[in-house]
Amino acid sequence: MAGLPRRIIKETQRLQADPVPGISAVPDESNARHFHVEVAGPVKSPYEGGTFHLELFLPEEYPMSAPKVRFMTRIYHPNIDKLGRICLDILKDKWSPALQIRTVLLSIQALLSAPNPDDPLDTTVAEAWKRDELGAIAQARQFTKEYAMGNKPPQ
Amino acid sequence: MLSRVYSIMAARRTQGWSAGPDYSSIAVNVRFGSHQTMYELDRAFTVGELRQKLSADHNIPLPEVKVVLAGSVLADDLTIEESGVGMQSMLFAIRTKPSATTQATRGITTSVSDSQTAPAAVPATTSNTTAGGSCEVRPGRLRVKCSVCGDGAVLVERGPGSWADVLTPGRVTGKCQSLHCEDCKPVFYFKCVEDHQGSVDGTAVALYHIRPNRRCVECITCADVLSPVVVFPCQASHVMCLHCFMEYCKVRLHERGFVQREQYGYTLPCPAGCADSYIQEQHHFCIMGCTEYERYKDFAAEECLLAAGGVYCPRSGCGQPFMVDTPGPRVVCPQCHFVFCRNCQGAVHEGDCSFQTRSSESSQDFSDPERAERAQWERQTAQTIEVTTKGCPGCGTRTERDGGCMHMVCFRCGEEWCWLCVKAWDRVCQSSHWFG
């Protein structure tokens, strides 16, 4: 696409040539700033076995401002709300132009491995997590099975 | 001092500069003792030919005449163009005793280590003088002068080998050729590569974080390989191209993201968050352009004043900065005599501060008609501020929200607060107010 900054081209090429294990990010055919992302649920987490679809958008100001990322697949997680919005500092005030799509997706993968109910976005989930962790994990596993297995990418 | 040099040069930018490379000849001033003569020299003219000319003009045997630039005697076969002298530059002729041997050199900065040659220099001068016009970084020319008489007829024992040699007077020893100077030492400085006719002495600040990208390192932000680049002083020496550096500075300035550091002033670290990576010379921020640089200086002055315990008068139309030497929250502005609360910036009050109302004008006596009229005019501004902003519950700083979530972080006091509740961010806000 004309006018696409070299940084975005290079990041896209590297994401495809040297992908992060468990993560794929493919630019949309009609908009090179819009990525279709798939994150595999990390092993030993209640999301294991699931494939989570996300959308990632690079705003005009990128990399001076953070990418916008959202879960498209329903997920039971204290730091991700019903609309798929993510509570992650590097997507907000801790963003730096030295960070990349790759590092953002790695952070999201890490968030799936280590949910943080003390800094929740969805309090209902967070409360459940703190009150009955085993029950919450079972619920997360149930969501994974229901929404993130055998699911197709959203159109 | 340095900022004064820059501001003077910036003020004279209207004159622009005459382009160098298109000229077939170069006008050079040659000083010989107290005599100064201007020579119009062809670019291909050699130093040897210039020496012959000087020898004839001053009636001195040819072997005794030497031409000096930047602390070194220039070799005969060097052309004027190769010598690195610019339009209207000053060359120095000295007379040596017949027995004295002075080794001629072919260049002035060749001994500076590879990664540190050709430092860039302010003044960032362009012919574009409109407000907000971009400032260009230009290469600097290394020059040397005597610490006592200021004359350039100085011979140094060796060329500088590092930035420390250049920036620390006395590390490189040398001898002033004037008969009257004693206990003097050579002082290195930079001139802009462009000719600034009629400007101040042409001295420029060395932007030592900016270097030619000889190692072809990718910019940490855009991944392009460009030159010159900013090399952050972190252990990893992260590299950023000048365009991204400019954007980085502007974005951070806009977010009030610069930090005040005692050693370096109001500055920025490497974007990768490395330790000890602050830009150490504030003139690097001139790259943002004149308007933004002025704003940068205002912010820096404000941070400095506040850090030192000073305040700004909060009354619209005043804004007087001053130091407070009285204890307690009651402060009187020495300029407009407005009495205000230091904690909430509102008119002085009994009891706890309320950041919700801004009644700075309410208790004012407008017996002065001019002031009364101004207050009317400014009341509209105050109303706009009232409508579009909210006061930080920690320090009262008026804050505008231009997007994003409801979780606010005050740039001044660091308070995390909720835009909806206008109180400290808590678990309820986290779950229910994040996106409104």
Side-chain angles (χ1 to χ4, degrees):
Chain A
M1 181 190 278
L4 198 67
R6 197 174 118 85
R7 150 110 181 214
I8 297 180
I9 297 169
K10 285 202 74 167
E11 277 202 65
T12 309
Q13 285 169 347
R14 190 166 164 228
L15 279 168
Q16 279 158 16
D18 176 22
V20 189
I23 295 176
S24 84
V26 183
D28 190 273
E29 282 173 10
S30 62
N31 185 351
R33 287 176 175 272
H34 184 186
F35 287 75
H36 302 283
V37 179
E38 280 180 22
V39 176
V43 288
K44 292 182 183 159
S45 81
Y47 312 103
E48 185 176 356
T51 303
F52 297 87
H53 296 279
L54 293 90
E55 64 174 11
L56 181 147
F57 184 74
L58 303 176
E60 186 62 33
E61 302 78 29
Y62 181 83
M64 290 303 161
S65 64
K68 300 194 184 305
V69 197
R70 189 164 80 96
F71 271 81
M72 305 301 284
T73 306
R74 275 294 300 273
I75 181 167
Y76 192 80
H77 191 290
N79 310 108
I80 300 159
D81 77 359
K82 287 189 182 65
L83 297 173
R85 299 179 294 202
I86 308 163
C87 171
L88 193 61
D89 57 357
I90 60 162
L91 294 176
K92 284 188 58 193
D93 54 313
K94 294 286 187 294
W95 171 255
S96 150
L99 296 171
Q100 302 183 1
I101 300 173
R102 172 180 293 267
T103 40
V104 165
L105 296 179
L106 275 168
S107 299
I108 291 171
Q109 200 180 36
L111 193 67
L112 295 189
S113 291
N116 180 8
D118 290 323
D119 186 21
L121 189 54
D122 191 316
T123 18
T124 323
V125 178
E127 292 298 333
W129 215 278
K130 293 183 91 158
R131 200 176 53 242
D132 172 18
E133 191 174 345
L134 287 177
I137 288 172
Q139 180 76 347
R141 214 170 259 133
Q142 177 58 35
F143 265 55
T144 305
K145 207 169 160 184
E146 198 171 325
Y147 300 107
M149 289 185 187
N151 54 337
K152 286 185 182 151
Q155 292 304 306
Chain B
M1 277 307 285
L2 293 178
S3 66
R4 177 161 298 178
V5 171
Y6 174 74
S7 61
I8 291 167
M9 301 204 77
R12 299 195 179 207
R13 292 188 322 151
T14 44
Q15 297 177 24
W17 53 54
S18 49
D22 298 337
Y23 285 69
S24 60
S25 63
I26 302 177
V28 178
N29 289 304
V30 181
R31 186 181 291 180
F32 194 3
S34 56
H35 299 280
Q36 185 173 317
T37 319
M38 187 195 274
Y39 291 93
E40 186 91 17
L41 302 175
D42 194 272
R43 283 180 177 273
F45 206 72
T46 63
V47 171
E49 288 169 315
L50 176 62
R51 279 180 57 227
Q52 285 175 10
K53 214 173 174 58
L54 291 166
S55 165
D57 288 357
H58 295 276
N59 199 18
I60 300 168
L62 181 62
E64 295 179 25
V65 180
K66 306 285 181 205
V67 178
V68 173
L69 179 68
S72 302
V73 173
L74 296 178
D76 275 356
D77 59 342
L78 210 61
T79 65
I80 294 299
E81 185 166 25
E82 291 164 343
S83 73
V85 68
M87 188 66 90
Q88 301 287 344
S89 276
M90 183 77 77
L91 282 173
F92 294 88
I94 57 169
R95 183 174 184 177
T96 56
K97 290 177 185 160
S99 58
T101 52
T102 27
Q103 198 182 351
T105 62
R106 294 194 49 80
I108 49 171
T109 56
T110 46
S111 57
V112 178
S113 69
D114 183 62
S115 64
Q116 298 183 331
T117 46
V122 167
T125 17
T126 68
S127 53
N128 176 7
T129 56
T130 54
S134 63
C135 292
E136 284 179 38
V137 173
R138 296 284 178 179
R141 287 185 200 279
L142 184 65
R143 292 289 182 263
V144 66
K145 64 184 176 186
C146 167
S147 64
V148 175
C149 69
D151 206 80
V154 177
L155 289 178
V156 291
E157 56 150 17
R158 64 177 173 89
S162 66
W163 270 112
D165 282 353
V166 172
L167 300 173
T168 322
R171 270 179 70 114
V172 174
T173 52
K175 199 172 177 325
C176 174
Q177 300 299 302
S178 163
L179 298 172
H180 312 294
C181 273
E182 286 176 17
D183 297 331
C184 57
K185 53 191 172 195
V187 176
F188 289 102
Y189 67 102
F190 288 90
K191 289 183 75 171
C192 183
V193 75
E194 302 291 346
D195 170 38
H196 297 267
Q197 286 181 353
S199 80
V200 285
D201 64 355
T203 307
V205 180
L207 303 177
Y208 50 84
H209 293 303
I210 299 180
R211 297 181 192 167
N213 190 4
R214 295 216 170 89
R215 294 176 192 171
C216 298
V217 180
E218 280 188 3
C219 167
I220 191 171
T221 300
C222 71
D224 273 342
V225 177
L226 297 168
S227 186
V229 289
V230 174
V231 182
F232 283 89
C234 47
Q235 207 165 13
S237 295
H238 284 125
V239 160
M240 205 182 222
C241 73
L242 292 189
H243 179 77
C244 288
F245 182 68
M246 179 184 79
E247 289 294 323
Y248 174 56
C249 295
K250 282 185 176 176
V251 167
R252 283 292 153 98
L253 188 73
H254 183 65
E255 295 168 347
R256 198 85 187 208
F258 278 63
V259 287
Q260 182 75 31
R261 286 289 170 271
E262 201 175 329
Q263 286 162 284
Y264 313 126
Y266 198 49
T267 185
L268 279 180
C270 166
C274 304
D276 301 325
S277 60
Y278 293 103
I279 294 292
Q280 295 164 2
E281 215 303 324
Q282 298 179 16
H283 288 85
H284 288 79
F285 303 120
C286 290
I287 285 179
M288 289 187 284
C290 299
T291 311
E292 299 293 329
Y293 188 62
E294 286 303 315
R295 199 160 161 240
Y296 160 81
K297 286 196 287 188
D298 288 346
F299 285 4
E302 194 177 323
E303 294 288 336
C304 192
L305 180 82
L306 295 173
V311 294
Y312 281 82
C313 173
R315 202 178 66 80
S316 53
C318 182
Q320 172 76 15
F322 59 96
M323 298 301 289
V324 182
D325 46 15
T326 52
R330 186 179 183 277
V331 179
V332 182
C333 171
Q335 179 74 24
C336 71
H337 308 296
F338 176 52
V339 187
F340 63 96
C341 167
R342 185 177 186 166
N343 298 332
C344 69
Q345 308 277 298
V348 74
H349 57 83
E350 295 289 324
D352 292 342
C353 302
S354 164
F355 293 122
Q356 292 311 296
T357 51
R358 189 182 175 85
S359 53
S360 59
E361 306 285 359
S362 59
S363 62
Q364 287 295 289
D365 168 20
F366 291 118
S367 50
D368 176 351
E370 198 183 316
R371 253 178 73 195
E373 193 177 324
R374 193 173 64 189
Q376 282 295 332
W377 174 257
E378 284 163 358
R379 188 156 291 152
Q380 287 185 5
T381 309
Q383 280 167 356
T384 307
I385 292 171
E386 190 68 47
V387 169
T388 56
T389 69
K390 293 182 181 180
C392 162
C395 67
T397 299
R398 301 307 296 183
T399 309
E400 190 179 17
R401 179 176 163 272
D402 65 352
C405 66
M406 302 296 162
H407 188 177
M408 312 298 287
V409 180
C410 179
F411 72 83
R412 179 160 288 164
C413 71
E415 172 90 1
E416 294 188 30
W417 56 284
C418 174
W419 179 259
L420 296 180
C421 309
V422 199
K423 62 177 182 59
W425 186 257
D426 61 17
R427 286 179 62 82
V428 176
C429 305
Q430 178 87 6
S431 64
S432 311
H433 301 162
W434 193 291
F435 292 101

